[in-house]
Amino acid sequence: MSDFEPKIVAFFCNWCTYTAADLAGTSRMKYAPNIRVIRVMCSGRVDPQFVLEAFAKGADGVLIGGCHPGDCHYQRGNYKARRRILMLQRVLEEFGIEKERLRLEWISASEGDKVRKVANDMTEQIARLGPLRRGDEHG
Amino acid sequence: MSEEIRVGVYVCHCGSNIAGIIDVKSVAEEASKYPNVVVSREYKYMCSDPGQALIQEDIKQHNLNRIVVASCSPLLHEHTFRNATEKGGVNPFLFQMVNLREHDSWVHEDKEKATKKAIALVRAAVRRVALHSALERKEVPINPDVLIVGGGIAGIHAALTLANAGKLVYLVEKEPTIGGHMAKFDKTFPTLDCAACILTPKMTQVRAHPNIRLWSYSEVAGVDGFVGNFRVKVKRKPRYVDEEACIGCLACIEACIYKEGKFPDEFNMGLSKRKPIYFPFPQAVPQLAVIDPETCIEFKTGKCKKTCVAACDRNAIDFTQKETIEEISVGTIILATGFKAFDASRMPEYGYGTLSNVYTALEIERLVNSSGPTAGEVVLKNGQHPKSVGIIHCVGSRDEKTNKWCSRVCCMYSLKLAHLLREHTGAEIYNFYIDMRAPGKGYEEFYDRLLQEDGTHFIRGRVAEVTDWAMTEEEEGRLVIRVEDTLAGFVRRIPCDMVVLSVGLEPTPDAQDVRRMFNISCSTEGFFLERHPKLAPVNTFTDGIFLAGTCQGPKDIPDTVAQAGAAAAEALALIDRGSIELEPNTAYVVEDKCSGCHTCIALCPYNAISYDEEKKVAQINEALCKGCGTCVAACPSSAIVQRLFEDAEILEEIEGVLL
Amino acid sequence: MKKYLYYPGCSLKGTGKAYEESLIPVFKTLDAELHEIDDWNCCGATAYMSVDELKAFALAARNLAIAEKEGGSDLVAPCAACYLVLSKAQQYMREYPSERHEVSEALKGVGLTYSDTIKVRHPLDVLINDIGLKEISSKVKKSLKGLKIAPYYGCQIVRPYATFDDQYNPTTMDDLIKACGAEVVYYPLKTRCCGGSLTGTIPEVGVRLAYILLREARKRGADMLVTACPLCQFNLDGYQDQMKRRYEEMSMPILYFTQILGLAFGIPAKELGFRRSIISANSALDMRGIVHV
Amino acid sequence: MSMAEKLKLAMYWAASCGGCEISIVDLNEKILDVIKVADFVFWPVAMDFKYSDVEAMPDKFIDVCLFNGAIRSSENEHIAHLLRRKSKILIAYGACAYNGGIPGLANITNRQGMFDTVYKTISTNQNTLPKISARVPEGELELPQLYDTVKSLAQVVDVDYYVPGCPPAPKIVEASIDAIASGKLPPKGSVIGPSKALCEECPREKTDKKITAMKRTFEGMPDTKKCLLEQGYLCMGPATREGCGTPCINANMPCTGCSGPADDVTDQGAKMMSALTSVLALEGEENVSEENVLKMIQEFPDPMGVFYKYTMPTSTLKRRVMK
């Protein structure tokens, strides 16, 4: 593996996944330092523009973490997130960006270990895909 | 924004928790180079008084108008630092927190990379905070009434504490009587005082208390609203006996056409029989008879003589009773829904349900109890007294295949039962344990005492099986416990007449439904999740909902009562404050951008969005808005803004972290 | 008609011939066809497994690959040892990429590939879960009423994989016996060791273990033991003379569950390999007045 | 007024279809008012000019240049720079100049990709490929180079104003002309015309959006009173700038988004995607399985062509990443 360090922007919902990430911390679980978490109140707050902006501004991957279906603190926000992300993945592929670079994970407040697993797994996966080439061909 | 932005950045060492991994000095140095940053410091403990004072002095000296603190999780200390910022004379929302501990130093080992990440996170916060605008704190009043779910010792104790403090308490219990598991116990460890003697007085207090509305045989059917203003639906199951009229004289039960009890008695773990109309147990609260429609002839055939009706001179019996739904409003909720004992038949190797004379600990509690099915006489199925009894610890605990956790009470109650069984029968008692765990006041001493009692033996080893397969004369017709004695270092076969399975504690089967209904979380094993294992053990992630007793995890009676008290105190603290502050992270519509496309309206789970026919734009009722931001993300013309989470702020954060 | 791929393994062609002889007609009666896969080889059990696991898995995988090539998804492996090894090979290939890699390399060598589409099934599993007790009972022509049978499962079909039955108290065979009208003797030793290969290597241990099983069965009034494993059958049946020399005479017939089913379906005993037993079941059957010629 | 005081107008088409030219003719009698106040000093489509005429003009000679069409070739870019230099006010006129427009969809591939499709995958052509230089009797002939990436005008030169639409609607053109004539121009960089989304001026009745299934325009006949999106026809209106006067809607066809995003929206496609998927199968969403959601999204026809029909070059990601 080259010394490529993937940059992954993560949007974690305040109630489940952000809390789970805190739990991973208090439990001193170790995972790849490539994930940078941005806290939102609900995965339903994640605007597709954020994801595209992240890719355009240098992210190699984007991770969205929300409560499991049925567990959303705001009842149904995560269902919107699910539909948006699935559509976005299709569009990304047409933009020539592998859909693996955008990932949606349901991680409940008690699943600190899942945060660790997902962070490591995604970092490894993105590392395999290599750096995201921006769409700025010239000439 | 015309004013000049002046940011102060504070990087916390948190002792070595952060500084041990992250080079805080260089983080602070880097931050000092960013636009708008006027001061950038690192300090040992930002949450300490001097730490907070530091912020306030800087605000005065450098007239800062934005604050960034890079320390631990905002879920832990955001409040602290917002207050510090406000004390310094800056609006508390012109503040941004960076989570360097939980999300960086505690989870990464590579110092260089961890530091780089820290710098990126701080950069993001600095960029973001520049766009923050001053916000009003949002307060909502707290309804002083309290709902307590579950009438075991936890619910009872919490209810009495609150009621004595003059609060109105609704105590909802699913069974016909309160008392829970504790009411079934004979004695309690380590003091061996009788459970009924200490519990029943509290039960009667509940019944008599003017501030307690006791709804037994009832279940919560629905919850909405939020801290301070919950609206709760309670389903009241019909007991077919008029609560007002019945005085608990038992005449109806006497008169039932079943002369003898015929159906397994729940309270005695099925070891005795009851009639279709019955009294859960003599000290039951409320003192009301209840009819079980599953077994009552009138319900099954409609052709019963109804001798019970005739016997009741207060006409309390009413076969026409229907389930009713009561609606109440409360400000706070305490969940005390208790535990379920592990189902021993899940471990067939121990023969529960297939071999006679294999009992669970709860059954033994009833057997040794003088008001139990045998009036306290411990007899085998063949009527004889056991000469030897084996007590198997950790059944359904500390086991990969069933439950991984230690149930915390089994060691001690096994000792208690060992003592009681020895006392009642004089039998040889064998304890089979993995480790003896006696961490509690007087517990180790109690263990010591049992070690001294002759006829009580301790064998360290996990039992492989209980079988009636005899290899020797001595074993014939008895139960054989096969175990590797890990102290003696060989496999032993120990014949016993009676085997007691010390079953562990599990979440109740409906824990997941309850969790969803109250919008709280469960830990992986299924017990309700507390907000913080050390600092907020009775709080949940949902404000205004608290936990008491074993629904949060296995615990003994002293701990349960202590926690119930704590939950009551937390509720009181909220109630007496009179109001609670909410995050001002609500959304609003920018009217001159809204085209009235109606996309957002159906998205709101709280119906906070409506369409203004006059102005032809959407409107958000901020009293109803909970600040999820779903509509903001959905608005196709970016006409909805969420305070504290504005698009521009998040976009800055994105650029910031991408260092 | 249900079709199943069939992997007999060495036992069912040798010491356990009676198993195959009864299995096939029983399945036919139940309108299920067993199609023996072509050119199968040793499952990899016994010596191989202990000497070189990887080679053992390669052997097992070859059989799986052949099954896959022949099409169909369910591979019936009646011998408990085969059932265990094939399942184990599958699990290892799933869990350890390195194993999977080496095994597929080996397979390539003989022009085969395995893409993990085969379900390894034990006849008990198929009978109970695919065909069902209702169907089976409906095929019973001669009830075995009065016959007292101790069901003996042995270790390999429930340990470590308890995929279709309980690990400590398996009951699939019990149900089949009941379906035949016979009486199931409560037999707590149903999964205890039969002596395995120890009967050959350390007889004083192996034979003792086997003896304990039979003694307990007799004590509980069993007329016979019924098993699902050729090795168990062989040990318990074949070493009774040694038991006699070392301990006492048992003369306890040891049959395959398929033989019992066949009998109940009205298939003549001689077509079910009864004659192959060392301890004949005739007297036991006569005693209970069951026609078996 | 005298000739000398008349405004000097220029109009140029780069990568475009000519529709923008037509939009001027579309002014009907209003064109006369234009002629009162302005002379066209450069308008290749309408009158005979040579680039050399433009090069001959002194800098800032042109008062207002209406530049339509995207930048997809060296010629387009060269003229863009030239006209920028010669014009006081440069206006990106129409969807292509503003956001890349339909030609912008070429960013889903690159030059080679396009050549392969156009010249290689057809039977009538034996691999003749366009050359940028050719030998002719007069000597070496240089031809413009086609670019890999289509750009909007503002991505190559500094632009003063934008006029949206494919083509711009007469009332917007009028508004622009009036503004120019009267010198009452909005702040530099603004889009001329109103700033909300199309639903603002859409006459159809709207209720809460809960779309059960998407329809293609050829499926069934839409109710002419009700919101097309609510009927399942993909209408880009909610994410598209108003001002066109809803000609498509009036023809019972859904909006395809030619006017680009409303103010404050950076990515029209992303926003429409978000809005649409939010309300799509909203009813009983909690009971829909993961697989069914996936299926529903997979079946959605041509997301790129729908969401980014006119704005791919100015979208956040601008073009496809070629492997």
Side-chain angles (χ1 to χ4, degrees), chain B residues 591 593-594 597-598 633-635, chain D residues 196 207 209 238 264 271 274-275:
Chain B
E591 291 185 357
K593 287 186 194 165
C594 175
C597 70
H598 280 68
C635 177
Chain D
K196 285 192 181 183
T207 59
K209 295 208 167 12
D264 292 6
K271 261 311 185 186
S274 189

Side-chain angles (χ1 to χ4, degrees), chain C residues 165-274:
Chain C
D165 210 336
D166 184 89
Q167 201 151 49
Y168 293 93
N169 181 28
T171 50
T172 42
M173 203 151 50
D174 300 36
D175 297 340
L176 292 174
I177 294 167
K178 289 196 202 108
C180 299
E183 179 187 329
V184 176
V185 173
Y186 175 70
Y187 189 55
L189 281 58
K190 49 168 65 165
T191 66
R192 190 163 269 92
C193 179
C194 71
S197 36
L198 288 177
T199 45
T201 50
I202 319 171
E204 60 274 27
V205 176
V207 176
R208 181 167 170 277
L209 288 166
Y211 163 66
I212 289 171
L213 292 182
L214 298 192
R215 191 185 62 175
E216 189 63 19
R218 184 162 74 185
K219 205 164 90 191
R220 292 175 183 264
D223 302 330
M224 57 177 55
L225 221 72
V226 158
T227 176
C229 170
L231 182 58
C232 299
Q233 198 280 337
F234 178 76
N235 274 342
L236 298 177
D237 188 20
Y239 284 85
Q240 287 194 25
D241 63 325
Q242 282 211 35
M243 292 180 202
K244 188 169 166 191
R245 260 184 274 118
R246 290 167 188 271
Y247 311 102
E248 58 181 308
E249 172 151 21
M250 300 307 310
S251 56
M252 169 79 64
I254 314 293
L255 297 176
Y256 292 102
F257 70 99
T258 42
Q259 293 178 288
I260 296 301
L261 276 171
L263 214 52
F265 289 170
I267 303 165
K270 57 175 170 324
E271 296 168 30
L272 293 165
F274 272 69

Side-chain angles (χ1 to χ4, degrees), chain B residues 601-615:
Chain B
I601 293 169
L603 298 182
C604 182
Y606 309 101
N607 304 318
I609 314 178
S610 58
Y611 184 68
D612 182 332
E613 292 295 346
E614 281 299 304
K615 300 179 181 160

